[in-house]
């Protein structure tokens, strides 16, 4: 792993998927197998915007692990997801930590410099924006990318042309066309949709959805209109 950087990055990638589970798996795979700008494994800053695995959502629909399950989920993957979770990073700052190991390298010289200070009041909106300006890869769900907190946090005065240089949407055939259009708000220079149109379709609850094509994904629409589609030669599961 490469060194931790706490400086504003000029290029950012937004990685999205329809569900939290898919986004968590993406963040973990990127950490394990992706190369950073210097050619070294995981030598880039990553942050996860959204809930933690097993965390209760405000509407009560989140799955909360029981005691027996907690030990099973207390593994390297969940520890990593906890370390890069934006809410946890904000709590660290409020607790007095000043430098973060966004790459979660485990290097004692670069990991969380715990200058144990007193707990302090922070402006969460300002600190959220500061963290996201220092990250090369930002992971969130499609709906999360449309939240007010996320939109305000990813705005960049230094690079007003686009908030993200590239957007990658995984499981794109399971997200509706409307939800897949949300990340386009950030004016990316490149968008990559990854999915399998022959597997799980878009989940809809309205019986009128097929009549107005609300059960169609953006991937399916582009493919049906002759947009070039590339078949992956390697299965990355």
């Amino acid at each position: 792993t490469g060194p931790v950087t706490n400086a504003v990055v000029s290029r950012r990638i937004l990685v999205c998927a329809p569900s939290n589970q898919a986004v968590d798996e993406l963040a973990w795979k990127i950490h394990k197998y992706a190369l950073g700008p210097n050619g070294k494994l995981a030598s880039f800053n990553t942050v996860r915007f959204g809930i933690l695995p097993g965390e209760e959502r405000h509407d009560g629909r989140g799955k909360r692990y029981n005691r027996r399950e907690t030990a099973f989920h207390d593994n390297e993957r969940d520890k990593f997801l906890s370390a890069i979770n934006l809410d946890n990073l904000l709590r660290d700052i409020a607790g007095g930590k000043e430098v973060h190991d966004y790459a979660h390298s485990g290097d004692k010289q670069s990991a969380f410099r715990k200058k144990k200070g007193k707990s302090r009041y922070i402006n969460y909106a300002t600190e959220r924006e500061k963290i996201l300006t220092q990250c090369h890869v930002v992971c969130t769900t499609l709906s999360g990318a449309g939240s007010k907190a996320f939109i305000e946090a990813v705005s960049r005065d230094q690079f007003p042309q686009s908030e993200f240089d590239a957007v990658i949407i995984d499981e794109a055939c399971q997200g509706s066309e409307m939800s897949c259009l949300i990340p386009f708000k950030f004016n990316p220079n490149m968008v990559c949709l990854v999915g399998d149109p022959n597997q799980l379709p878009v989940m809809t609850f309205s019986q009128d959805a097929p009549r107005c094509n609300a059960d169609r994904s953006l991937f399916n629409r582009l493919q049906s209109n002759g947009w070039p589609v590339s078949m992956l030669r390697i299965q990355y599961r």
Side-chain angles (χ1 to χ4, degrees):
T1 54
V4 176
T5 60
N6 287 82
V8 174
V9 298
S10 60
R11 296 182 180 277
R12 292 191 302 184
I13 299 175
L14 176 62
V15 179
C16 296
S19 67
N20 278 294
Q21 185 176 1
V23 174
D24 289 341
E25 189 63 22
L26 278 170
W28 175 241
K29 290 291 181 65
I30 290 171
H31 168 68
K32 292 290 288 184
Y33 304 112
L35 302 179
N38 61 2
K40 295 183 179 180
L41 189 65
S43 58
F44 48 83
N45 299 340
T46 307
V47 73
R48 168 70 164 95
F49 181 91
I51 65 174
L52 290 166
E55 188 177 38
E56 189 77 15
R57 295 189 293 188
H58 71 279
D59 57 4
R61 290 184 295 156
K63 180 182 178 182
R64 190 184 288 272
Y65 298 138
N66 57 36
R67 292 182 179 180
R68 184 173 299 177
E69 290 177 307
T70 301
F72 176 79
H73 288 276
D74 187 21
N75 53 32
E76 183 184 359
R77 175 182 176 274
D78 286 353
K79 288 178 180 177
F80 166 73
L81 294 173
S82 177
I84 65 169
N85 182 268
L86 183 58
D87 289 336
N88 283 351
L89 295 174
L90 291 172
R91 280 192 284 267
D92 290 340
I93 294 173
K97 294 180 182 178
E98 298 179 358
V99 179
H100 297 281
D101 182 11
Y102 297 108
H104 196 56
S105 63
D107 184 353
K108 293 182 179 179
Q109 294 182 351
S110 61
F112 294 132
R113 289 188 204 143
K114 298 180 181 178
K115 292 185 178 178
K116 274 280 185 178
K118 295 181 180 179
S119 297
R120 50 179 173 160
Y121 171 80
I122 64 171
N123 185 316
Y124 279 85
T126 300
E127 294 297 336
R128 191 181 291 117
E129 181 179 355
K130 186 185 300 183
I131 290 174
L132 291 178
T133 60
Q134 298 171 354
C135 291
H136 301 91
V137 179
V138 180
C139 303
T140 187
T141 60
L142 292 169
S143 58
S147 66
K148 182 174 182 291
F150 187 82
I151 292 173
E152 292 179 348
V154 299
S155 61
R156 301 194 295 180
D157 295 333
Q158 304 96 325
F159 311 99
Q161 297 85 359
S162 64
E163 282 83 2
F164 290 97
D165 296 274
V167 169
I168 300 174
I169 303 177
D170 194 26
E171 304 291 358
C173 294
Q174 296 182 32
S176 68
E177 183 176 342
M178 293 77 74
S179 63
C180 288
L181 288 174
I182 293 174
F184 282 72
K185 180 228 180 316
F186 305 116
N187 195 27
N189 298 317
M190 186 199 76
V191 177
C192 179
L193 306 180
V194 184
D196 187 346
N198 297 318
Q199 289 193 356
L200 295 176
V202 176
M203 180 180 292
T204 58
F205 298 97
S206 172
Q207 295 181 354
D208 294 326
R211 180 175 55 84
C212 54
N213 289 326
D215 61 342
R216 179 180 61 181
S217 68
L218 181 61
F219 188 108
N220 290 122
R221 178 179 180 180
L222 293 175
Q223 185 181 30
S224 62
N225 281 278
W227 202 265
V229 176
S230 299
M231 181 69 70
L232 295 177
R233 298 182 179 180
I234 301 175
Q235 175 58 267
Y236 290 96
R237 293 186 185 278

